[in-house]
């Protein structure tokens, strides 16, 4: 049986990639997650470490977090890959679907660390993947939205058929263009639901050199 780590955001795409890899016979004992500089929230998704740890425990995997700025992200990630390689893991799984620059970067960092990159969702229809995720019984919350694509009211909603039906024209069902991010809290890969509660919705205005968009984050806490 092949043993692999997974680059883990806590969201639907990485969760579906993990689910598929395990169903294909791959052992995935290690989740690697990037946190912001102070370690209080995950990069892009804004999830606290306590919930990421609970998620990993329910998935039957070990979580390794690293703190990084966007400037140090690649260096820190390669260091994590090399440590996994030294521990005997030779494969890395990613949840990307069809953005070639993302795949190029993942294959580059894996080659640097001596690992092989695998993308179980690659090249498949985005909406079909969403339908597979929901049909399997996974449950997720929309934890981050880009205000350039969606209004604030979409933040904190369940990622379900009603959410998808309400998406404006041009917004991808997978959020693959950065429109939104999710946190998966239950489903067939979980031994038990992750107990959580919604608190407040936070606003973040990105500086002009990072696009200048306004982002909304649904703050989550352990129940």
């Amino acid at each position: 049986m092949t043993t692999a780590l997974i680059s883990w955001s806590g969201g639907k795409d990485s969760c579906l990639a993990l689910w598929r890899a395990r169903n294909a016979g791959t052992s995935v004992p290690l989740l690697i997650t990037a946190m912001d500089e102070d370690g209080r929230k995950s990069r892009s998704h804004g999830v606290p470490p306590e919930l990421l740890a609970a998620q990993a425990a329910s998935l039957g995997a070990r979580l390794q977090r690293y703190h990084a700025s966007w400037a140090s992200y690649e260096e820190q990630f390669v260091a994590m890959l090399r440590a996994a390689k030294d521990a005997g893991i030779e494969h890395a799984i990613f949840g990307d679907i069809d953005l070639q620059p993302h795949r190029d970067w993942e294959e580059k960092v894996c080659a640097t660390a001596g690992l092989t990159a695998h993308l179980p969702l690659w090249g498949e229809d985005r909406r079909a993947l969403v339908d597979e995720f929901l049909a399997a019984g996974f449950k997720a919350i929309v934890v981050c939205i880009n205000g350039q694509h969606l209004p604030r009211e979409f933040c904190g909603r369940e990622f379900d058929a009603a959410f998808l039906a309400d998406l404006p024209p041009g917004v991808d069902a997978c959020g693959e263009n950065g429109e939104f991010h999710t946190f998966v809290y239950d489903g067939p890969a979980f031994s038990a639901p992750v107990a959580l509660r919604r608190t407040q919705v936070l606003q973040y205005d990105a500086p002009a050199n990072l696009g200048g968009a306004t982002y909304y984050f649904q703050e989550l806490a352990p129940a």
Side-chain angles (χ1 to χ4, degrees):
M1 180 181 289
T2 301
T3 301
L5 61 84
I6 185 166
S7 179
W8 186 254
S9 68
K12 58 180 177 47
D13 296 336
S14 57
C15 186
L16 185 59
L18 172 67
W19 174 242
R20 281 194 173 186
R22 284 180 166 175
N23 284 344
T26 301
S27 173
V28 189
L30 178 61
L31 317 179
I32 292 180
T33 300
M35 309 296 288
D36 58 17
E37 291 92 332
D38 61 12
R40 294 176 59 191
K41 298 288 177 66
S42 60
R43 281 267 160 220
S44 298
H45 290 58
V47 178
E50 296 86 356
L51 287 181
L52 290 166
Q55 189 185 46
S58 187
L59 290 166
R62 182 166 53 93
L63 176 70
Q64 283 192 345
R65 307 187 311 272
Y66 63 100
H67 304 176
S69 66
W70 288 120
S72 66
Y73 185 94
E74 179 171 324
E75 177 186 359
Q76 297 286 347
F77 187 61
V78 169
M80 297 294 286
L81 295 179
R82 284 179 167 147
K85 171 75 171 180
D86 291 342
I89 294 177
E90 297 187 350
H91 303 271
I93 296 167
F94 300 88
D96 288 283
I97 300 170
D98 56 21
L99 298 180
Q100 190 64 47
H102 290 194
R103 179 169 193 149
D104 293 343
W105 182 84
E106 290 154 2
E107 291 180 341
K108 179 189 77 170
V109 294
C110 283
T112 299
L115 275 70
T116 302
H118 299 274
L119 289 81
L121 313 183
W122 187 255
E124 298 197 26
D125 180 79
R126 294 179 181 181
R127 181 54 195 254
L129 290 170
V130 168
D131 291 342
E132 177 185 342
F133 175 84
L134 294 176
F138 287 106
K139 297 180 180 179
I141 296 172
V142 178
V143 290
C144 173
I145 63 167
N146 182 331
Q148 292 180 327
H149 299 282
L150 291 170
R152 182 183 187 276
E153 291 72 27
F154 279 78
C155 190
R157 288 184 57 174
E158 287 288 316
F159 180 73
D160 56 13
F163 174 86
L164 296 170
D166 289 343
L167 290 177
V171 174
D172 180 57
C174 270
E176 191 71 357
N177 304 310
E179 298 98 327
F180 62 88
H181 298 298
T182 57
F183 177 78
V184 186
Y185 64 90
D186 196 11
F190 290 73
S191 62
V194 177
L196 55 79
R197 57 187 172 91
R198 296 167 174 82
T199 57
Q200 59 186 329
V201 174
L202 305 174
Q203 178 177 328
Y204 169 71
D205 297 311
N209 65 329
L210 293 178
T214 295
Y215 294 87
Y216 298 98
F217 291 88
Q218 174 62 66
E219 192 174 58
L220 300 176

